[in-house]
């Protein structure tokens, strides 16, 4: 029954998408028509299909093969809800739902020709994803051959003779081990799918032959929403890895992590280069290239994650969807760039850049660095796959390769981030830059000296701190300078004037908040990567060990039954001097559908950083404990949040601006 | 203070601080954690995409112990890396060298950077036409044809590629599907573990369990292989060849992993009780006897008995012959 309902929803969304394409093209060619209704149909269909899946999961309806193979009666809340996107077919429902919401939001504006063309493109993307749900990744297939647990064979035909299993194996243990796994995919998907909007506007603008900045203005908010969620999603992914994967790290240049980083890098470059076009009319062609690449990279990311082409902890499933996604990726690239080539005589025009010592000059450097960064991640991720596919020889590309190239690039980006915000558009006199930057340089070096004398002299850490402070000090210095000038004129306090300065150009200052967030991330990574301590100890109950200034006492092993798992671990008391700080429970979680236990770390967070305990081995007498520290790791989490917050704050500013009448926008068309 | 004086003071302060900082950083005694560094360069054979430094698996820990041992005895990095790559099949270098078939990886980013700089400089000198005089809109016929041709070519490429990849890699449904008969080459160990665990009572699962155990066995991960072989050996619905393979492998692991010759021989004899003519069992039994005990005579007899079998594969025969020659010459087993 629910299978029928879900399939009906998918069919409705597919019909809505087809209508969007047909009517969108008609409207874009100057015809008449309404696009809100098809957009509503897409949204309604997607909502119904997601609702059907959720009801099936919450009511343990094992007649659906997806539920039978990825859910169990014992799966607790919120993991039963999250199971809807814990495996391939379900995650496509989520993808479709997010796409439907973005489509509906775009369609809410009265559609002019550009808007109609963009909606037609979004409809096209919708046809592909809803089409997937009816063919190679059908989440609503019914089970026709039940196993003791799970389902051996299924049929896409909702009226097929159903053979309902009584129980399922439950979701992948790694995914039900931490609540972050319930949150991380939706957040990341909003980021991924959101990039469809600027892509759709770009293709629409190319098709109509209006390469002016209008498409950038119209998709600006969606780009910011996508970028902010992508930032947040990557952060949550790193945090999940840290809390669950028990090696004390948050980023391993795993292909699936890279899959989320590549669109982020491209989108970050796009946000900056889009500004150059809006302000100076430059980089028209480049913006098209970037936005097409960013969208293509999200499809590539989905392909890498979901096709099972690379086996990693994330690629928990394999299916025939690989060729479909790959085909769509090539269609997107070939189609977009063909259209781009056909319109190149329109987009190639751009005014001359007067000097590289200008805001647009720093943006050029920024774009060059970010693009090379994305390219390195792309080639490092795909090279082993391509080499193996074409020659059969196996090579590994891992952390050492990425770190060697990405670390210097990151530092160059930080250096540029100090220059960018204080450099005016159209060029700056050298004296102005020197006046604005000597202060930050002195503050940054002085901070570096203090840290080198008191904390550590590790080169990477010092470099990260000097450059991080340099970025922040340049921003604060600029704010003080601008507010000071106003205050000298008006007589009110610098603080009041600073608030006015920010209010007058909130998107700019929101961007600076993101810059400070990135600087925090850099410092956090430098500390956590360069100064961790590690030890392994074997302890009997009652034994104590000194580690990183803490006294760890192994109290006793414990064992407890939870609804969906058996938890076996040890209690370790953590003390400092005479004080008892806390008791940690490093453990292994045993799930029914996995033989070995999932080693789950216990973490104590303090201002200086984390203490990270893992249970390596437990027998009747002793426990083998892995002891790690992650110095200042909270800077990384905080920095990620601040970066995303900058994006969201910038959105708030745009909304206020929209109260103003918009004749200026229309005049440009 | 005049502007000039201020500038001089600022420059002096910046230069002095930078020099002092550089001095502080560069005079720090270098304490490189060689063990962790080498560990991060080697991919763990039984995991997916993790280095042995990051992986919690038993095999990775064993390998890290080996690295620590070699480092403390003063072996050079390259020698240690070569030893690991040589002795663990599936261990891959995660740090591609700038030579051979990974040279392109290192050249490409540099080439892209150079290209980017050239494009930017070129654009500076040759910007497009000014916006004031936009070219006439519309599409040129030549461009349309070229674009169409490219599109067709690319599509042909995709279809061929997709067809090939579909042929090589039959789709495996998520979770569980027709167990046993499917080509499992594409399925990850984790997936197999999950499917097996979810269908423990299903008699069809024995084949997949054996395949997984063989995979662990070939990677040298005896610890993971052991429970699966045991399960297959004891399973009532295992076919005879399956049970024989499991028993023989258990025997070999008992000998090779734990040095228990008697247990090994006993297990292999159980396999021979099922099928006295099993070549695998006879051969492994002979090797255990040769390598693990002083009973070289018995081993020679066993090898000779095997060679008397008419239906030996040529490679097996030559392998046995070379083993037999070595055993006769009184050499210890390789």
């Amino acid at each position: 029954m629910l299978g029928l309902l879900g399939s009906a929803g998918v069919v409705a969304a597919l019909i809505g998408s087809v209508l969007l394409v047909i009517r969108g093209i008609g409207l874009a060619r100057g015809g008449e028509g309404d696009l809100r209704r098809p957009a509503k149909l897409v949204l309604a269909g997607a909502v119904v299909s997601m609702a059907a899946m959720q009801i099936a999961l919450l009511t343990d309806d094992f007649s659906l093969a997806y539920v039978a193979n990825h859910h169990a009666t014992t799966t607790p809340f919120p993991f039963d809800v999250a199971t809807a996107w814990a495996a391939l077919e379900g995650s496509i429902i989520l993808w479709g739902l997010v796409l439907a919401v973005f489509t509906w939001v775009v369609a809410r504006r009265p559609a002019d020709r550009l808007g109609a063309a963009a909606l037609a493109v979004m409809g096209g993307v919708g046809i592909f994803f809803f089409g997937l749900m009816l063919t190679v990744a059908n989440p609503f297939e019914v089970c026709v051959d039940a196993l003791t647990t799970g389902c051996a064979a299924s049929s896409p035909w909702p009226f097929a003779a159903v053979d309902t299993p009584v129980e399922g194996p439950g979701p992948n243990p790694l995914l039900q081990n931490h609540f972050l796994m319930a949150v991380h995919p939706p957040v990341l998907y909003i980021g991924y799918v959101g990039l469809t909007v600027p892509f759709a506007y770009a293709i629409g603008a190319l098709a109509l032959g209006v390469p002016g900045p209008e498409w950038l203005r119209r998709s600006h908010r969606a780009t910011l929403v996508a970028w902010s969620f992508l930032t947040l999603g990557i952060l949550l992914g790193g945090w999940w890895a840290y809390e669950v994967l028990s090696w004390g790290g948050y980023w391993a240049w795993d292909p699936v992590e890279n899959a989320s980083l590549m669109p982020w890098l491209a989108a970050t470059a796009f946000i900056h280069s889009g500004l150059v076009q809006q302000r100076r009319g430059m980089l028209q062609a480049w913006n098209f290239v970037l936005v097409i690449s960013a969208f293509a990279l999200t499809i590539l990311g989905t392909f890498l994650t979901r096709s099972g082409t690379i086996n990693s902890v994330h690629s928990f499933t394999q299916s025939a969807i690989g060729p479909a996604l790959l085909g769509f990726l090539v269609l997107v690239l070939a189609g977009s760039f063909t259209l781009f080539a056909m319109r190149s005589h329109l987009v190639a025009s751009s005014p001359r850049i007067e000097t590289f010592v200008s805001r647009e000059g720093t943006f050029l450097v920024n774009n060059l660095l970010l693009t090379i960064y994305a390219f390195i991640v792309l080639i490092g991720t795909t090279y082993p796959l391509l080499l193996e596919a074409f020659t059969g020889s196996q090579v590994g590309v891992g952390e050492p390769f990425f770190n060697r190239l990405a670390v210097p690039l990151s530092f160059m980006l930080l250096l540029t981030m100090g220059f960018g915000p204080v450099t005016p558009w159209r060029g700056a006199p050298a004296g102005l830059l020197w006046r604005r930057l000597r202060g930050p340089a002195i503050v940054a070096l002085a901070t570096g000296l203090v840290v080198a004398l008191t904390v550590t002299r590790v080169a990477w850490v010092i470099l990260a701190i000097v450059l991080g402070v340099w970025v922040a000090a340049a921003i604060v210095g600029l704010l003080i300078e601008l507010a000071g000038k106003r205050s000298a004129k008006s007589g009110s306090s610098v603080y009041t004037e600073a608030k006015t300065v920010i209010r007058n150009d909130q998107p700019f200052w929101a961007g600076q908040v993101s810059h400070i967030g990135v600087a925090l991330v850099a410092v956090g990574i430098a500390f956590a990567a360069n100064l961790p301590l590690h030890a392994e100890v074997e302890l009997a109950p009652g034994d104590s060990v000194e580690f990183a200034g803490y006294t760890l006492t192994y109290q006793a092993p414990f064992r407890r039954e939870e609804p969906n798992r058996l938890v076996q671990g040890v209690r370790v008391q953590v003390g400092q001097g005479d004080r008892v700080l806390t008791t940690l429970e490093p453990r292994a979680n045993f799930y029914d559908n996995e033989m070995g236990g999932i080693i789950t770390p216990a973490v104590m967070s303090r201002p200086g950083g984390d203490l990270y305990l893992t249970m390596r081995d437990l027998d009747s007498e002793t426990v083998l404990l892995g002891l790690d520290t992650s110095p200042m790791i909270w800077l990384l989490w905080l920095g990620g949040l601040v970066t995303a917050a900058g994006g969201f704050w910038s959105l708030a500013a745009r909304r206020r601006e929209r109260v103003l009448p918009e004749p200026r926008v229309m005049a440009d068309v | 203070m005049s502007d000039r004086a201020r500038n001089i003071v600022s420059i002096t302060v910046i230069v002095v601080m930078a020099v002092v900082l550089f001095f502080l950083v560069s005079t720090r005694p270098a304490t490189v954690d060689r063990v962790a560094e080498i560990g991060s360069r080697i991919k763990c054979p039984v995991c997916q995409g993790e280095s042995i430094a990051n992986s919690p698996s038993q095999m990775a820990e064993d390998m890290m112990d080996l690295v620590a041992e070699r480092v403390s005895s003063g072996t050079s990095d390259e020698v240690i890396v070569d030893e690991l790559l040589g002795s663990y099949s599936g261990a891959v270098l995660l740090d591609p060298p700038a030579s051979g078939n990974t040279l392109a990886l290192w050249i490409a980013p540099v080439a892209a950077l150079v290209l980017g700089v050239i494009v930017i400089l070129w654009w500076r000198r040759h910007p497009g036409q000014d916006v004031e005089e936009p070219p006439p809109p519309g599409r040129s016929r030549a461009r349309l044809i070229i674009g169409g041709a490219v599109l067709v070519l690319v599509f042909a490429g995709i279809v061929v590629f997709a067809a090939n990849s579909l042929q090589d890699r039959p789709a495996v449904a998520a979770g569980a599907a027709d167990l046993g008969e499917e080509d499992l080459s594409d399925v990850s160990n984790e997936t197999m573990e999950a499917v097996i665990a979810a269908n423990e009572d299903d008699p069809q699962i024995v084949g997949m369990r054996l395949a997984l155990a063989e995979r662990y066995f070939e990677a040298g991960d005896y610890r993971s292989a052991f429970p699966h072989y045991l399960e297959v050996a004891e399973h009532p619905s295992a076919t005879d060849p399956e049970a024989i393979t499991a028993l023989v492998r258990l025997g070999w692991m008992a000998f090779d992993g734990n040095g228990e010759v008697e247990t090994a021989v006993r297990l292999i004899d159980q396999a021979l009780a099922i099928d006295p003519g099993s070549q695998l069992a006879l051969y492994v039994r002979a090797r255990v006897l040769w390598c693990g005990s002083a009973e070289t005579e018995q081993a020679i007899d066993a090898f000779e008995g095997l060679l008397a079998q008419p239906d030996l594969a040529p490679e097996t025969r030559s392998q046995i012959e070379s083993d037999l020659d070595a055993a006769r010459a009184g050499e210890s087993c390789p």
Side-chain angles (χ1 to χ4, degrees):
Chain A
M1 209 38 234
L2 284 168
L4 188 61
L5 183 67
S7 298
V10 177
V11 171
L14 186 62
I15 293 173
S17 303
V18 173
L19 284 176
L20 268 183
V21 174
I22 297 171
R23 288 198 195 169
I25 292 176
L27 231 128
R29 295 169 73 110
E32 293 277 311
D34 171 41
L35 291 177
R36 290 186 209 193
R37 248 189 262 158
K40 273 184 196 158
L41 184 60
V42 175
L43 181 63
V47 168
V48 166
S49 58
M50 181 53 100
M53 181 52 77
Q54 288 298 348
I55 295 169
L57 287 167
L58 291 170
T59 59
D60 303 327
D61 183 350
F62 293 116
S63 66
L64 287 185
Y66 182 86
V67 180
N69 281 332
H70 301 287
H71 177 73
T73 47
T74 50
T75 311
F77 186 82
F79 298 106
D80 45 5
V81 172
T83 302
W85 46 85
L88 170 79
E89 293 86 352
S91 69
I92 304 280
I93 309 185
L94 179 64
W95 188 291
L97 179 62
V98 178
L99 182 65
V101 172
F102 273 108
T103 308
W104 176 68
V105 171
V106 170
R108 280 202 318 170
R109 284 196 190 180
D112 56 357
R113 291 183 59 204
L114 179 59
L119 278 168
V121 176
M122 295 192 77
V125 178
I127 290 176
F128 174 72
F129 279 101
F130 293 113
L132 278 186
M133 286 160 65
L134 285 182
T135 53
V136 293
N138 189 336
F140 295 108
E141 289 192 353
V142 291
C143 183
V144 292
D145 182 7
L147 291 167
T148 328
T149 29
C151 176
S154 56
S155 159
W157 183 236
F159 303 104
V162 177
D163 185 8
T164 307
V166 287
E167 181 58 289
N172 185 322
L174 272 181
L175 306 185
Q176 54 174 320
N177 209 26
H178 200 281
F179 79 97
L180 275 174
M181 209 52 211
V183 190
H184 161 64
V187 171
L188 199 62
Y189 275 23
I190 296 175
Y192 267 11
V193 182
L195 287 176
T196 312
V197 180
F199 169 76
Y201 270 106
I203 296 298
L206 277 178
L208 294 177
V210 284
E214 176 67 4
W215 72 273
L216 283 168
R217 288 204 195 99
R218 297 273 288 270
S219 59
H220 185 75
R221 285 180 63 80
T223 308
L224 278 174
V225 169
W227 181 86
S228 307
F229 274 98
L230 205 50
T231 310
L232 207 55
I234 295 173
L235 172 73
L236 291 177
W239 192 20
W240 172 79
Y242 181 76
E243 296 281 343
V244 173
L245 294 186
S246 74
W247 93 90
Y250 42 86
W251 191 265
W253 297 104
D254 179 276
V256 178
E257 293 164 344
N258 295 348
S260 63
L261 182 63
M262 288 186 280
W264 187 87
L265 290 167
T268 309
F270 173 61
I271 288 177
H272 290 90
S273 69
L275 277 174
V276 178
Q277 186 179 341
Q278 292 193 39
R279 285 294 287 257
R280 302 288 331 269
M282 299 167 179
L283 302 182
Q284 278 190 9
W286 180 237
N287 279 321
F288 285 114
V289 173
L290 269 184
V291 80
I292 293 168
S293 308
F295 178 71
L297 286 170
T298 65
I299 304 295
L300 178 72
T302 315
F303 168 71
L304 291 177
T305 326
R306 295 300 186 180
S307 69
T309 310
I310 23 165
N311 287 320
S312 85
V313 285
H314 299 257
S315 300
F316 34 82
T317 178
Q318 282 126 348
S319 112
I321 197 167
L325 279 167
L326 196 62
F328 185 60
L329 173 66
V330 181
L331 174 70
V332 164
L333 283 175
S336 307
F337 282 110
T338 306
L339 183 64
F340 180 66
M342 283 161 53
R343 295 285 185 271
S344 59
H345 59 295
L346 292 179
V347 296
S349 58
S350 56
R352 185 185 286 268
I353 182 168
E354 291 92 352
T355 164
F356 286 125
V357 190
S358 58
R359 180 73 61 77
E360 51 271 40
T362 60
F363 278 3
L364 271 183
V365 177
N366 143 309
N367 262 252
L368 182 65
L369 293 176
L370 282 170
T371 314
I372 300 286
Y373 206 136
F375 179 67
I376 288 169
V377 180
L378 175 69
I379 186 173
T381 310
T382 53
Y383 192 82
L385 302 175
L386 292 173
L387 195 69
E388 200 182 341
F390 288 110
T391 70
S393 53
Q394 281 197 328
V395 295
V397 178
E399 256 182 282
F401 171 82
F402 290 111
N403 283 347
R404 208 163 293 168
L405 295 174
V407 170
L409 264 181
S410 307
F411 282 124
M412 274 147 77
L413 274 168
L414 281 176
L415 188 67
T416 318
M417 273 164 62
F419 283 104
V422 302
T423 315
W425 294 94
R426 288 171 189 277
L432 175 73
L433 276 190
W434 163 245
R435 274 201 307 282
R436 281 183 172 172
L437 286 174
R438 66 185 168 198
I442 292 172
V443 173
L445 286 168
T447 316
L449 268 180
V450 171
V451 175
L453 290 172
T454 55
V455 184
T456 174
R457 279 153 62 192
V458 175
W460 291 127
V461 179
I462 299 298
L463 194 55
I465 286 179
V466 169
L467 288 175
V469 174
W470 152 262
V471 169
I475 294 164
V476 174
L478 180 67
L479 181 60
I480 292 174
E481 181 198 316
L482 296 180
K485 268 187 204 156
R486 287 180 68 101
S487 150
K489 267 190 214 155
S490 68
S492 50
S493 78
V494 176
Y495 176 71
T496 329
E497 290 299 343
K499 281 198 287 190
T500 318
V501 168
I502 291 175
R503 209 177 314 118
N504 287 348
D505 195 2
Q506 194 182 326
F508 173 80
W509 294 103
Q512 301 319 310
V513 170
S514 290
H515 280 185
I516 291 176
V518 172
L520 287 173
V521 168
V523 176
I525 290 176
F527 267 101
N530 288 292
L531 302 173
L533 298 173
H534 173 78
E536 253 175 46
V537 289
E538 193 162 359
L539 298 175
D543 285 356
S544 285
V545 64
E546 296 286 328
F547 175 73
Y550 300 112
T551 309
L552 309 177
T553 311
Y554 174 25
Q555 292 183 318
F558 71 91
R559 189 184 166 88
R560 93 182 150 239
E561 299 262 359
E562 288 178 9
N564 58 333
R565 62 186 184 192
L566 176 76
V567 178
Q568 185 147 33
V570 291
R571 286 201 182 87
V572 178
Q573 194 183 64
V574 182
Q576 197 169 36
D578 300 332
R579 274 190 318 140
V580 173
L581 295 173
T582 184
T583 302
L584 291 177
E585 294 186 347
R587 61 198 183 273
N589 297 334
F590 292 85
Y591 295 87
D592 285 343
N593 59 354
E594 178 93 6
M595 288 219 181
I598 305 283
I599 307 280
T600 306
V603 185
M604 178 182 74
S605 298
R606 309 203 77 210
D610 287 1
L611 176 67
Y612 191 98
L613 302 188
T614 41
M615 189 179 77
R616 299 275 176 186
D617 205 3
L618 177 68
D619 58 37
S620 52
E621 276 103 44
T622 60
V623 63
L624 184 64
L625 279 180
L627 316 176
D628 292 272
T629 61
S630 300
M632 309 300 284
I633 188 129
W634 57 270
L635 271 178
L636 172 57
W637 315 136
L638 177 70
L641 287 175
V642 170
T643 310
F648 287 119
W649 193 35
S650 173
L651 280 168
R654 300 287 298 187
R655 184 163 293 144
R656 218 168 291 154
E657 209 173 82
R658 269 173 66 193
V659 180
L660 299 168
E662 294 186 68
R664 190 174 52 89
V665 176
M666 298 313 293
D668 278 28
V669 179
Chain B
M1 197 159 40
S2 75
D3 252 13
R4 196 185 161 77
R6 230 164 129 178
N7 283 345
I8 291 171
V9 171
S10 307
I11 292 174
T12 318
V13 169
I14 288 175
V15 169
V16 167
M17 285 202 297
V19 168
V20 172
L21 200 54
F22 182 78
F23 175 76
L24 281 176
V25 167
S26 57
T27 55
R28 188 183 73 96
T31 50
V32 182
D33 186 352
R34 279 183 59 206
V35 179
E37 200 180 285
I38 296 173
S40 75
R41 293 174 58 193
I42 306 285
K43 180 180 170 293
C44 153
V46 293
C47 347
Q48 317 214 314
E50 284 176 301
S51 70
I52 56 171
N54 286 348
S55 164
S57 83
Q58 185 59 43
M59 189 169 189
E61 277 175 25
D62 293 348
M63 290 170 80
M64 286 302 282
D65 289 346
L66 181 75
V67 175
E69 200 178 291
R70 292 288 182 274
V71 166
S72 64
S73 70
T75 316
S76 81
D77 287 13
E78 290 320 306
V79 173
I80 300 174
V81 167
D82 287 344
E83 183 184 349
L84 287 172
L85 296 182
S87 43
Y88 291 85
S89 66
V92 181
L93 199 59
L94 286 173
D95 188 12
S99 62
N101 60 7
T102 47
L103 179 62
L105 260 177
W106 294 97
I107 291 180
V110 180
L113 186 66
V114 172
L115 188 73
V117 172
I118 291 175
V119 167
I120 288 177
L121 292 179
W122 180 86
W123 174 64
R124 168 94 196 273
R125 288 175 187 279
H126 307 268
Q129 309 99 309
D130 285 338
V131 204
E132 287 83 62
E133 26 180 306
R139 61 196 80 169
S140 90
R141 206 175 171 76
R143 283 203 177 103
L144 203 65
I145 292 167
I146 295 172
V150 168
L151 206 60
V152 169
L153 276 179
V154 167
F155 267 102
I158 302 169
V159 172
V160 171
F161 182 80
N164 279 338
S165 58
L166 271 176
Q167 203 174 16
D168 300 342
R169 305 178 176 196
V172 177
D178 305 327
L179 309 167
E181 280 123 66
E182 207 112 22
D183 176 3
L184 295 168
S185 61
D186 232 17
V187 187
S188 72
N189 291 356
E190 279 76 4
T191 310
M192 280 167 81
E193 287 278 10
V195 172
I196 291 168
N199 296 286
E200 270 188 358
D201 307 325
D202 198 310
Q204 293 175 355
I205 205 73
V206 174
M208 186 188 266
R209 194 188 279 286
L210 186 63
L212 178 62
E214 292 277 291
R215 215 185 266 194
Y216 285 131
F217 178 81
E218 275 154 26
D221 188 3
Y222 290 174
R223 198 181 282 236
S224 305
F226 178 75
H228 292 293
Y229 280 132
L230 200 60
E231 195 75 29
V232 173
E234 289 174 347
H235 208 284
S237 61
T239 62
D240 284 354
E242 284 171 347
I244 289 172
T245 310
L247 284 165
V248 172
R249 295 286 194 237
L250 285 169
W252 179 256
M253 295 192 309
F255 161 68
D256 190 37
N258 298 348
E260 294 173 14
V261 181
E262 277 173 37
T263 318
V265 172
R266 211 179 59 235
L267 283 162
I268 299 170
D269 283 344
Q270 283 183 31
L272 286 169
I274 302 174
D275 174 11
S278 163
Q279 291 169 2
L280 177 70
L282 287 170
Y283 178 63
V284 174
R285 187 172 192 275
R287 279 201 64 106
V288 169
L289 287 173
W290 177 28
C291 303
S293 64
E295 318 283 348
T296 317
E297 287 307 310
Q298 280 191 34
I300 292 174
D301 287 349
F303 281 132
E304 282 169 347
L306 256 173
L307 283 176
Q309 292 209 7
D311 56 342
L312 277 181
E315 310 91 69
T316 322
R317 184 174 291 278
S318 63
Q319 174 69 46
I320 295 172
E321 277 166 355
S322 77
D323 282 351
L324 182 59
D325 289 347
R328 278 194 182 131
E331 291 170 26
S332 58
C333 69

